[in-house]
Amino acid sequence: MSKFLSYFILFLSSNLYADQDKTINIIVENCKSCHNLNIEVTKKIPDLNNLEKEEFIRLMTKYKNDKDNSVMNRISRVLTENDILKMADKIYGKR
């Protein structure tokens, strides 16, 4: 299933020029499936509401550049730095 999600995100990322905002919205909605943005469901998967925007950007960049095969690495490796910044803006607001 996570391989499918990685390919799905890759497909979405490849079409960023067509409608980047819509794509970022879909990616963030996918994040919500594990990292509930409204209420804390589990302690095993961090709640994004407990992170600062800068920490989110740092962690996503780290996951993207890790050489392991974790779920977050597989998901984030297809994202550009700009994608990560736009996701952060969508989740935490622009400053």
Coordinates of all heavy atoms in Angstrom, one line a residue:
M1 N 0.8 -1.2 0.0 CA 0.0 0.0 0.0 C 0.9 1.3 0.0 O 0.6 2.2 -0.7 CB -0.9 0.0 1.2 CG -1.9 1.1 1.3 SD -3.0 1.1 -0.1 CE -4.1 2.4 0.3
S2 N 1.9 1.3 0.8 CA 2.8 2.5 0.8 C 3.5 2.7 -0.5 O 3.8 3.8 -0.9 CB 3.8 2.4 2.0 OG 4.6 1.3 1.8
K3 N 3.8 1.6 -1.2 CA 4.4 1.8 -2.6 C 3.4 2.5 -3.5 O 3.8 3.4 -4.2 CB 4.8 0.4 -3.1 CG 5.7 0.4 -4.3 CD 6.1 -1.0 -4.6 CE 7.4 -0.9 -5.4 NZ 7.9 -2.2 -5.8
F4 N 2.1 2.1 -3.4 CA 1.1 2.8 -4.2 C 1.0 4.3 -3.8 O 1.0 5.1 -4.7 CB -0.3 2.1 -3.9 CG -1.4 2.9 -4.5 CD1 -1.7 2.8 -5.9 CD2 -2.2 3.7 -3.7 CE1 -2.7 3.5 -6.4 CE2 -3.2 4.4 -4.3 CZ -3.5 4.3 -5.6
L5 N 1.1 4.6 -2.5 CA 1.0 6.0 -2.1 C 2.2 6.8 -2.7 O 2.1 7.9 -3.1 CB 1.0 6.1 -0.6 CG 0.8 7.5 0.0 CD1 -0.4 8.2 -0.5 CD2 0.8 7.4 1.5
S6 N 3.4 6.2 -2.6 CA 4.6 6.8 -3.2 C 4.4 7.1 -4.7 O 4.7 8.2 -5.1 CB 5.8 6.0 -3.0 OG 6.1 5.9 -1.6
Y7 N 3.9 6.1 -5.4 CA 3.7 6.3 -6.8 C 2.6 7.4 -7.1 O 2.7 8.2 -8.0 CB 3.3 5.0 -7.5 CG 4.5 4.1 -7.7 CD1 4.4 2.8 -7.3 CD2 5.7 4.5 -8.2 CE1 5.5 1.9 -7.4 CE2 6.8 3.7 -8.4 CZ 6.6 2.4 -7.9 OH 7.7 1.5 -8.1
F8 N 1.6 7.4 -6.2 CA 0.5 8.3 -6.3 C 1.1 9.8 -6.1 O 0.8 10.7 -6.9 CB -0.6 8.0 -5.3 CG -1.7 9.0 -5.3 CD1 -2.6 9.0 -6.4 CD2 -1.9 9.8 -4.3 CE1 -3.7 9.9 -6.4 CE2 -3.0 10.7 -4.3 CZ -3.8 10.8 -5.3
I9 N 1.9 9.9 -5.1 CA 2.5 11.2 -4.8 C 3.4 11.6 -6.0 O 3.4 12.8 -6.4 CB 3.1 11.3 -3.5 CG1 2.1 11.2 -2.4 CG2 4.0 12.5 -3.3 CD1 2.6 11.1 -1.0
L10 N 4.2 10.7 -6.5 CA 5.1 11.0 -7.6 C 4.2 11.5 -8.8 O 4.6 12.4 -9.5 CB 5.9 9.7 -8.0 CG 6.8 9.9 -9.2 CD1 7.8 11.0 -9.0 CD2 7.4 8.6 -9.6
F11 N 3.1 10.8 -9.1 CA 2.2 11.2 -10.2 C 1.7 12.6 -10.0 O 1.7 13.4 -10.8 CB 1.1 10.2 -10.3 CG 0.0 10.7 -11.2 CD1 0.2 10.7 -12.6 CD2 -1.2 11.2 -10.7 CE1 -0.8 11.1 -13.5 CE2 -2.2 11.7 -11.6 CZ -2.0 11.6 -12.9
L12 N 1.3 12.9 -8.7 CA 0.8 14.2 -8.4 C 1.9 15.3 -8.6 O 1.7 16.3 -9.1 CB 0.2 14.3 -7.0 CG -1.0 13.4 -6.8 CD1 -1.4 13.5 -5.3 CD2 -2.2 13.9 -7.7
S13 N 3.1 14.9 -8.1 CA 4.2 15.9 -8.2 C 4.6 16.2 -9.6 O 5.0 17.3 -9.9 CB 5.4 15.3 -7.4 OG 5.1 15.2 -6.0
S14 N 4.5 15.2 -10.5 CA 4.8 15.4 -11.9 C 3.9 16.3 -12.6 O 4.2 16.9 -13.6 CB 4.9 14.1 -12.6 OG 3.6 13.5 -12.7
N15 N 2.7 16.5 -12.0 CA 1.7 17.4 -12.6 C 1.6 18.8 -11.9 O 0.6 19.5 -12.0 CB 0.3 16.8 -12.6 CG 0.3 15.6 -13.6 OD1 0.8 15.7 -14.7 ND2 -0.1 14.5 -13.1
L16 N 2.6 19.1 -11.1 CA 2.5 20.3 -10.3 C 2.4 21.6 -11.1 O 1.7 22.5 -10.6 CB 3.8 20.5 -9.4 CG 3.8 19.6 -8.2 CD1 5.1 19.7 -7.4 CD2 2.7 19.8 -7.3
Y17 N 2.9 21.6 -12.3 CA 2.8 22.8 -13.1 C 1.4 23.1 -13.5 O 1.0 24.2 -13.7 CB 3.7 22.7 -14.3 CG 5.2 22.7 -13.9 CD1 5.9 21.5 -14.0 CD2 5.8 23.8 -13.3 CE1 7.2 21.4 -13.6 CE2 7.1 23.7 -13.0 CZ 7.8 22.5 -13.1 OH 9.1 22.5 -12.7
A18 N 0.6 22.0 -13.6 CA -0.8 22.2 -14.1 C -1.6 22.8 -13.0 O -2.4 23.7 -13.3 CB -1.4 20.8 -14.5
D19 N -1.6 22.4 -11.8 CA -2.4 22.9 -10.7 C -1.7 22.6 -9.4 O -2.2 21.7 -8.7 CB -3.8 22.3 -10.8 CG -4.8 23.1 -10.0 OD1 -4.4 24.0 -9.2 OD2 -6.0 22.8 -10.0
Q20 N -0.7 23.4 -9.1 CA 0.1 23.1 -7.9 C -0.7 23.2 -6.6 O -0.5 22.3 -5.7 CB 1.3 24.0 -7.9 CG 2.3 23.6 -6.8 CD 3.6 24.4 -6.9 OE1 3.6 25.6 -7.2 NE2 4.7 23.8 -6.5
D21 N -1.5 24.2 -6.5 CA -2.3 24.3 -5.2 C -3.2 23.1 -5.0 O -3.3 22.6 -3.9 CB -3.1 25.6 -5.2 CG -2.2 26.8 -5.1 OD1 -1.1 26.7 -4.6 OD2 -2.7 27.9 -5.4
K22 N -3.9 22.6 -6.0 CA -4.7 21.5 -5.9 C -3.9 20.3 -5.5 O -4.4 19.5 -4.6 CB -5.5 21.2 -7.2 CG -6.5 20.1 -7.1 CD -7.2 19.8 -8.4 CE -8.4 20.7 -8.6 NZ -9.2 20.4 -9.8
T23 N -2.8 20.1 -6.1 CA -1.9 19.0 -5.8 C -1.5 19.0 -4.3 O -1.5 18.0 -3.6 CB -0.7 18.9 -6.7 OG1 -1.2 18.9 -8.1 CG2 0.2 17.7 -6.4
I24 N -1.0 20.1 -3.9 CA -0.6 20.3 -2.5 C -1.7 20.0 -1.5 O -1.6 19.3 -0.5 CB 0.0 21.7 -2.2 CG1 1.3 21.9 -3.0 CG2 0.2 21.9 -0.7 CD1 2.4 20.9 -2.7
N25 N -2.9 20.4 -1.9 CA -4.1 20.1 -1.0 C -4.3 18.6 -0.9 O -4.6 18.1 0.2 CB -5.4 20.8 -1.6 CG -5.4 22.3 -1.4 OD1 -4.7 22.8 -0.5 ND2 -6.1 23.0 -2.2
I26 N -4.2 17.9 -2.0 CA -4.4 16.4 -2.0 C -3.3 15.8 -1.2 O -3.6 14.9 -0.4 CB -4.4 15.9 -3.5 CG1 -5.7 16.4 -4.2 CG2 -4.3 14.4 -3.5 CD1 -5.7 16.1 -5.7
I27 N -2.1 16.2 -1.3 CA -1.0 15.6 -0.6 C -1.2 15.8 0.9 O -1.1 14.9 1.7 CB 0.4 16.2 -1.0 CG1 0.7 15.8 -2.4 CG2 1.5 15.8 -0.1 CD1 1.9 16.5 -3.1
V28 N -1.6 17.0 1.3 CA -1.8 17.3 2.7 C -3.0 16.5 3.2 O -3.0 16.0 4.4 CB -2.1 18.8 3.0 CG1 -2.6 19.1 4.4 CG2 -0.8 19.6 2.7
E29 N -4.0 16.3 2.4 CA -5.2 15.4 2.8 C -4.7 14.0 3.1 O -5.1 13.3 4.0 CB -6.3 15.5 1.8 CG -7.1 16.7 1.7 CD -7.7 17.1 3.0 OE1 -8.4 16.2 3.7 OE2 -7.6 18.2 3.5
N30 N -3.7 13.5 2.3 CA -3.1 12.2 2.5 C -2.4 12.2 3.8 O -2.4 11.2 4.5 CB -2.2 11.8 1.3 CG -3.0 11.3 0.1 OD1 -4.0 10.6 0.2 ND2 -2.5 11.8 -1.0
C31 N -1.7 13.2 4.2 CA -1.0 13.3 5.5 C -2.0 13.1 6.6 O -1.6 12.5 7.6 CB -0.3 14.6 5.6 SG 1.0 15.0 4.4
K32 N -3.1 13.7 6.5 CA -4.1 13.6 7.5 C -4.6 12.2 7.8 O -5.1 11.9 8.9 CB -5.4 14.5 7.2 CG -5.1 15.9 7.2 CD -6.4 16.7 6.8 CE -6.2 18.1 6.7 NZ -7.5 18.8 6.3
S33 N -4.5 11.3 6.9 CA -4.9 9.9 7.1 C -4.1 9.3 8.2 O -4.6 8.4 9.0 CB -4.8 9.1 5.8 OG -3.5 9.0 5.4
C34 N -2.8 9.7 8.4 CA -2.0 9.1 9.5 C -1.8 10.1 10.6 O -1.7 9.8 11.8 CB -0.7 8.6 9.0 SG -0.8 7.2 7.9
H35 N -1.6 11.4 10.2 CA -1.3 12.4 11.2 C -2.5 13.4 11.3 O -2.5 14.5 10.7 CB -0.1 13.3 10.6 CG 1.2 12.5 10.5 ND1 2.0 12.2 11.5 CD2 1.7 11.9 9.4 CE1 3.1 11.5 11.0 NE2 2.9 11.3 9.7
N36 N -3.4 12.9 12.0 CA -4.7 13.6 12.2 C -4.4 15.1 12.6 O -3.7 15.3 13.6 CB -5.6 13.0 13.2 CG -7.0 13.6 13.2 OD1 -7.1 14.8 13.2 ND2 -7.9 12.7 13.3
L37 N -4.9 16.0 11.8 CA -4.6 17.4 12.1 C -5.6 18.1 13.0 O -5.5 19.2 13.3 CB -4.5 18.2 10.8 CG -3.4 17.8 9.8 CD1 -3.5 18.6 8.5 CD2 -2.0 18.1 10.5
N38 N -6.7 17.3 13.4 CA -7.7 17.9 14.2 C -7.6 17.4 15.7 O -7.8 18.2 16.6 CB -9.1 17.5 13.6 CG -9.3 18.1 12.3 OD1 -8.9 19.3 12.0 ND2 -9.8 17.4 11.3
I39 N -7.4 16.1 15.8 CA -7.3 15.6 17.2 C -6.2 14.6 17.2 O -5.8 14.0 16.2 CB -8.6 14.9 17.7 CG1 -9.0 13.8 16.7 CG2 -9.7 15.9 17.8 CD1 -10.1 12.9 17.2
E40 N -5.6 14.4 18.4 CA -4.5 13.4 18.5 C -5.1 12.0 18.7 O -5.8 11.7 19.7 CB -3.6 13.7 19.7 CG -2.4 12.9 19.8 CD -1.4 13.4 20.8 OE1 -1.5 14.6 21.2 OE2 -0.6 12.6 21.2
V41 N -4.9 11.1 17.8 CA -5.5 9.8 17.8 C -4.6 8.8 18.4 O -5.0 7.9 19.2 CB -5.9 9.3 16.4 CG1 -6.4 7.9 16.4 CG2 -6.9 10.3 15.8
T42 N -3.3 8.9 18.2 CA -2.3 7.9 18.7 C -1.0 8.6 19.0 O -0.7 9.6 18.4 CB -2.1 6.8 17.6 OG1 -1.2 5.9 18.2 CG2 -1.7 7.3 16.3
K43 N -0.3 8.0 19.9 CA 1.0 8.5 20.3 C 2.1 7.9 19.4 O 3.2 8.4 19.3 CB 1.4 8.2 21.7 CG 0.4 8.8 22.8 CD 0.8 10.2 23.0 CE -0.1 10.8 24.1 NZ -0.1 12.2 24.2
K44 N 1.8 6.9 18.6 CA 2.8 6.2 17.8 C 3.1 7.1 16.6 O 4.2 7.0 16.1 CB 2.2 4.8 17.3 CG 2.1 3.8 18.4 CD 1.6 2.5 17.9 CE 1.4 1.6 19.1 NZ 0.9 0.3 18.7
I45 N 2.1 7.8 16.1 CA 2.3 8.6 14.9 C 2.1 10.1 15.4 O 1.1 10.4 15.8 CB 1.4 8.3 13.8 CG1 1.6 6.8 13.3 CG2 1.5 9.2 12.6 CD1 0.6 6.3 12.3
P46 N 3.2 10.9 15.2 CA 3.1 12.3 15.7 C 1.9 13.1 15.1 O 1.6 13.0 14.0 CB 4.4 12.9 15.3 CG 5.3 11.8 15.0 CD 4.4 10.7 14.6
D47 N 1.3 13.9 16.0 CA 0.3 14.8 15.6 C 1.0 16.1 15.0 O 1.8 16.7 15.7 CB -0.6 15.1 16.8 CG -1.7 16.1 16.5 OD1 -1.8 16.6 15.4 OD2 -2.5 16.3 17.4
L48 N 0.7 16.4 13.8 CA 1.3 17.6 13.2 C 1.0 18.9 13.9 O 1.7 19.9 13.8 CB 0.9 17.7 11.7 CG 1.4 16.6 10.8 CD1 1.0 16.8 9.4 CD2 2.9 16.4 10.9
N49 N -0.1 18.9 14.7 CA -0.4 20.1 15.5 C 0.6 20.4 16.6 O 0.7 21.5 17.1 CB -1.8 20.0 16.1 CG -2.9 20.0 15.0 OD1 -2.8 20.8 14.1 ND2 -3.9 19.2 15.2
N50 N 1.4 19.4 16.9 CA 2.4 19.5 18.0 C 3.7 20.0 17.5 O 4.7 20.1 18.2 CB 2.5 18.2 18.8 CG 1.3 17.9 19.6 OD1 0.5 18.8 20.0 ND2 1.0 16.7 19.8
L51 N 3.9 20.2 16.2 CA 5.1 20.7 15.6 C 5.0 22.2 15.2 O 3.9 22.6 14.8 CB 5.4 19.9 14.3 CG 5.8 18.4 14.4 CD1 6.0 17.8 13.0 CD2 7.0 18.2 15.3
E52 N 6.1 22.8 15.2 CA 6.2 24.2 14.7 C 6.4 24.1 13.2 O 6.9 23.0 12.7 CB 7.3 25.0 15.3 CG 7.2 25.2 16.8 CD 6.0 26.2 17.1 OE1 5.8 27.1 16.3 OE2 5.4 26.0 18.1
K53 N 6.1 25.1 12.4 CA 6.2 25.0 11.0 C 7.7 24.7 10.6 O 7.9 23.9 9.7 CB 5.8 26.4 10.4 CG 5.9 26.4 8.9 CD 5.3 27.8 8.4 CE 5.3 27.9 6.9 NZ 4.7 29.2 6.5
E54 N 8.7 25.4 11.2 CA 10.1 25.2 10.9 C 10.5 23.8 11.2 O 11.3 23.2 10.4 CB 10.9 26.2 11.6 CG 10.7 27.6 11.2 CD 9.4 28.3 11.7 OE1 8.8 27.8 12.7 OE2 8.9 29.2 11.1
E55 N 10.0 23.2 12.3 CA 10.3 21.8 12.6 C 9.7 20.8 11.6 O 10.4 19.9 11.2 CB 9.8 21.5 14.0 CG 10.1 20.1 14.5 CD 11.6 19.8 14.8 OE1 12.4 20.8 14.7 OE2 11.9 18.7 15.2
F56 N 8.5 21.1 11.1 CA 7.9 20.3 10.1 C 8.8 20.3 8.8 O 9.1 19.2 8.2 CB 6.5 20.8 9.7 CG 5.9 20.2 8.5 CD1 5.3 19.0 8.6 CD2 6.0 20.8 7.3 CE1 4.7 18.4 7.5 CE2 5.4 20.2 6.1 CZ 4.8 19.0 6.2
I57 N 9.2 21.5 8.4 CA 10.1 21.6 7.2 C 11.4 20.9 7.4 O 11.8 20.1 6.5 CB 10.3 23.1 6.9 CG1 9.0 23.8 6.5 CG2 11.4 23.3 5.8 CD1 9.1 25.3 6.4
R58 N 12.0 21.0 8.5 CA 13.3 20.3 8.8 C 13.1 18.8 8.8 O 13.9 18.1 8.1 CB 13.8 20.7 10.2 CG 15.2 20.2 10.5 CD 15.6 20.4 11.9 NE 14.9 19.6 12.9 CZ 15.0 18.3 13.1 NH1 15.9 17.6 12.4 NH2 14.3 17.7 14.0
L59 N 12.0 18.3 9.4 CA 11.8 16.9 9.4 C 11.5 16.3 8.1 O 12.0 15.2 7.7 CB 10.7 16.5 10.4 CG 11.0 16.6 11.9 CD1 9.8 16.5 12.7 CD2 12.0 15.6 12.3
M60 N 10.6 17.0 7.3 CA 10.3 16.5 6.0 C 11.5 16.5 5.1 O 11.7 15.5 4.3 CB 9.2 17.4 5.3 CG 7.8 17.2 6.0 SD 7.2 15.5 5.8 CE 6.9 15.4 4.0
T61 N 12.4 17.5 5.2 CA 13.6 17.5 4.4 C 14.5 16.4 4.8 O 15.1 15.7 4.0 CB 14.3 18.9 4.6 OG1 13.4 19.9 4.2 CG2 15.6 19.0 3.7
K62 N 14.6 16.1 6.1 CA 15.4 15.0 6.6 C 14.8 13.7 6.1 O 15.6 12.8 5.6 CB 15.4 15.0 8.1 CG 16.1 13.8 8.7 CD 15.9 13.7 10.2 CE 16.4 12.5 10.9 NZ 16.0 11.2 10.3
Y63 N 13.5 13.5 6.2 CA 12.9 12.2 5.6 C 13.2 12.1 4.1 O 13.6 11.0 3.7 CB 11.4 12.2 5.8 CG 11.0 12.0 7.3 CD1 10.0 12.9 7.8 CD2 11.5 11.0 8.1 CE1 9.6 12.7 9.1 CE2 11.1 10.8 9.4 CZ 10.1 11.7 9.9 OH 9.7 11.5 11.2
K64 N 13.1 13.2 3.4 CA 13.4 13.2 2.0 C 14.8 12.7 1.7 O 15.0 12.0 0.7 CB 13.1 14.5 1.4 CG 13.4 14.7 -0.1 CD 13.2 16.0 -0.6 CE 13.6 16.2 -2.0 NZ 13.2 15.2 -2.9
N65 N 15.8 13.2 2.4 CA 17.2 12.9 2.2 C 17.7 11.6 2.9 O 18.8 11.2 2.6 CB 18.0 14.1 2.6 CG 17.7 15.3 1.7 OD1 17.5 15.2 0.5 ND2 17.6 16.5 2.3
D66 N 17.0 11.0 3.8 CA 17.4 9.8 4.4 C 17.6 8.7 3.4 O 16.9 8.7 2.4 CB 16.4 9.3 5.4 CG 16.5 10.0 6.8 OD1 17.5 10.8 7.0 OD2 15.6 9.9 7.6
K67 N 18.5 7.8 3.6 CA 18.8 6.7 2.7 C 18.2 5.4 3.2 O 18.5 4.4 2.7 CB 20.3 6.6 2.6 CG 21.0 7.8 2.0 CD 20.6 8.1 0.6 CE 21.3 9.3 0.1 NZ 20.7 10.0 -0.9
D68 N 17.2 5.5 4.1 CA 16.6 4.3 4.5 C 15.3 4.0 3.7 O 15.1 4.7 2.7 CB 16.2 4.4 6.0 CG 15.2 5.5 6.4 OD1 14.5 5.9 5.5 OD2 15.2 5.8 7.5
N69 N 14.5 3.0 4.1 CA 13.3 2.7 3.4 C 12.1 2.8 4.2 O 11.2 2.0 4.1 CB 13.5 1.2 2.8 CG 12.5 1.0 1.7 OD1 12.0 1.9 1.0 ND2 12.1 -0.3 1.6
S70 N 12.1 3.8 5.1 CA 11.0 4.0 6.0 C 9.8 4.6 5.2 O 9.9 5.0 4.0 CB 11.3 5.0 7.1 OG 11.5 6.3 6.5
V71 N 8.6 4.5 5.7 CA 7.4 4.9 5.1 C 7.6 6.4 4.7 O 7.3 6.9 3.6 CB 6.1 4.7 5.9 CG1 4.9 5.4 5.3 CG2 5.9 3.2 6.1
M72 N 8.0 7.2 5.7 CA 8.1 8.7 5.4 C 9.2 9.0 4.4 O 9.0 9.9 3.6 CB 8.4 9.4 6.7 CG 7.2 9.6 7.6 SD 5.8 10.4 6.8 CE 6.5 12.0 6.4
N73 N 10.2 8.2 4.3 CA 11.2 8.4 3.3 C 10.7 8.1 1.9 O 10.9 8.9 1.0 CB 12.5 7.5 3.6 CG 13.5 7.6 2.4 OD1 13.5 6.7 1.6 ND2 14.2 8.7 2.4
R74 N 9.9 7.0 1.8 CA 9.3 6.7 0.5 C 8.3 7.7 0.1 O 8.2 8.0 -1.1 CB 8.7 5.3 0.6 CG 9.7 4.2 0.7 CD 9.1 2.8 0.6 NE 8.0 2.6 1.4 CZ 8.0 1.9 2.6 NH1 9.1 1.3 3.0 NH2 6.9 1.7 3.3
I75 N 7.6 8.2 1.0 CA 6.6 9.2 0.7 C 7.2 10.6 0.3 O 6.9 11.2 -0.7 CB 5.6 9.4 1.8 CG1 4.7 8.2 2.0 CG2 4.7 10.7 1.7 CD1 3.9 8.2 3.3
S76 N 8.2 11.0 1.1 CA 8.7 12.4 0.9 C 9.8 12.4 -0.2 O 10.1 13.5 -0.7 CB 9.3 12.9 2.2 OG 10.3 12.0 2.7
R77 N 10.4 11.3 -0.6 CA 11.5 11.4 -1.6 C 11.0 12.0 -2.9 O 11.8 12.5 -3.7 CB 12.2 10.1 -1.7 CG 11.7 9.1 -2.7 CD 12.6 7.9 -2.9 NE 13.0 7.3 -1.7 CZ 12.8 6.0 -1.5 NH1 12.4 5.2 -2.4 NH2 13.2 5.4 -0.3
V78 N 9.8 11.9 -3.2 CA 9.3 12.4 -4.5 C 8.9 13.9 -4.4 O 8.6 14.5 -5.4 CB 8.0 11.6 -5.0 CG1 8.4 10.2 -5.3 CG2 6.9 11.7 -4.1
L79 N 8.9 14.5 -3.2 CA 8.6 15.9 -3.1 C 9.8 16.8 -3.3 O 10.9 16.4 -3.0 CB 8.1 16.1 -1.6 CG 6.8 15.3 -1.2 CD1 6.6 15.5 0.3 CD2 5.6 15.7 -2.0
T80 N 9.5 17.9 -3.9 CA 10.6 18.9 -4.1 C 10.6 19.8 -2.8 O 9.7 19.7 -1.9 CB 10.3 19.9 -5.3 OG1 9.1 20.6 -5.0 CG2 10.1 19.1 -6.5
E81 N 11.7 20.6 -2.6 CA 11.8 21.5 -1.5 C 10.6 22.5 -1.5 O 10.0 22.8 -0.5 CB 13.1 22.2 -1.5 CG 14.3 21.3 -1.2 CD 15.6 22.1 -1.2 OE1 15.6 23.3 -0.9 OE2 16.6 21.5 -1.4
N82 N 10.2 22.9 -2.7 CA 9.1 23.8 -2.9 C 7.8 23.1 -2.4 O 6.9 23.8 -1.8 CB 9.0 24.3 -4.3 CG 8.0 25.4 -4.5 OD1 8.0 26.4 -3.7 ND2 7.2 25.4 -5.5
D83 N 7.6 21.9 -2.8 CA 6.4 21.1 -2.3 C 6.3 21.1 -0.8 O 5.3 21.4 -0.2 CB 6.5 19.6 -2.8 CG 6.4 19.5 -4.3 OD1 5.8 20.4 -5.0 OD2 6.8 18.4 -4.8
I84 N 7.5 20.9 -0.1 CA 7.5 20.8 1.3 C 7.2 22.2 1.9 O 6.4 22.3 2.9 CB 8.9 20.3 1.8 CG1 9.1 18.9 1.4 CG2 9.0 20.5 3.3 CD1 10.5 18.3 1.6
L85 N 7.7 23.2 1.3 CA 7.4 24.6 1.8 C 5.9 24.9 1.6 O 5.2 25.5 2.5 CB 8.2 25.6 1.1 CG 9.7 25.6 1.4 CD1 10.4 26.6 0.5 CD2 10.0 25.8 2.8
K86 N 5.3 24.5 0.5 CA 3.9 24.8 0.2 C 3.0 23.9 1.2 O 2.0 24.4 1.6 CB 3.6 24.5 -1.2 CG 4.1 25.6 -2.2 CD 3.4 25.5 -3.5 CE 3.8 26.7 -4.3 NZ 3.3 28.0 -3.9
M87 N 3.4 22.7 1.5 CA 2.7 21.9 2.4 C 2.7 22.5 3.8 O 1.7 22.6 4.5 CB 3.3 20.5 2.5 CG 3.1 19.6 1.3 SD 4.1 18.1 1.3 CE 3.4 17.3 2.8
A88 N 3.9 23.1 4.2 CA 4.0 23.7 5.5 C 3.1 25.0 5.5 O 2.4 25.2 6.5 CB 5.4 24.1 5.8
D89 N 3.0 25.7 4.4 CA 2.1 26.9 4.4 C 0.7 26.4 4.5 O -0.1 27.1 5.2 CB 2.3 27.6 3.1 CG 3.6 28.5 3.0 OD1 4.2 28.7 4.1 OD2 3.9 28.9 1.9
K90 N 0.3 25.3 3.9 CA -1.0 24.8 3.9 C -1.4 24.4 5.3 O -2.5 24.7 5.8 CB -1.2 23.7 2.9 CG -2.5 23.0 2.9 CD -3.6 23.9 2.3 CE -4.9 23.2 2.3 NZ -6.0 24.1 1.9
I91 N -0.5 23.7 6.0 CA -0.8 23.1 7.3 C -0.7 24.2 8.4 O -1.6 24.3 9.3 CB 0.2 22.0 7.6 CG1 -0.1 20.8 6.7 CG2 0.0 21.5 9.1 CD1 1.0 19.7 6.7
Y92 N 0.3 25.0 8.3 CA 0.6 26.0 9.4 C 0.3 27.4 9.1 O 0.4 28.3 9.9 CB 2.1 25.8 9.9 CG 2.4 24.4 10.3 CD1 3.0 23.5 9.5 CD2 2.0 24.0 11.6 CE1 3.3 22.3 9.9 CE2 2.3 22.7 12.0 CZ 2.9 21.9 11.2 OH 3.2 20.6 11.6
G93 N 0.0 27.7 7.8 CA -0.3 29.1 7.4 C 0.9 29.8 7.0 O 2.1 29.4 7.3
K94 N 0.8 30.8 6.2 CA 1.9 31.6 5.7 C 2.3 32.6 6.7 O 1.5 33.2 7.4 CB 1.5 32.3 4.4 CG 1.3 31.3 3.3 CD 0.9 32.0 2.0 CE 0.6 31.0 0.9 NZ 0.3 31.7 -0.3
R95 N 3.6 32.9 6.8 CA 4.1 33.9 7.7 C 4.9 34.9 7.0 O 5.5 34.7 6.0 CB 5.0 33.3 8.8 CG 4.2 32.4 9.7 CD 5.1 32.0 10.9 NE 4.5 30.8 11.4 CZ 5.1 30.0 12.2 NH1 6.3 30.2 12.6 NH2 4.6 28.9 12.7

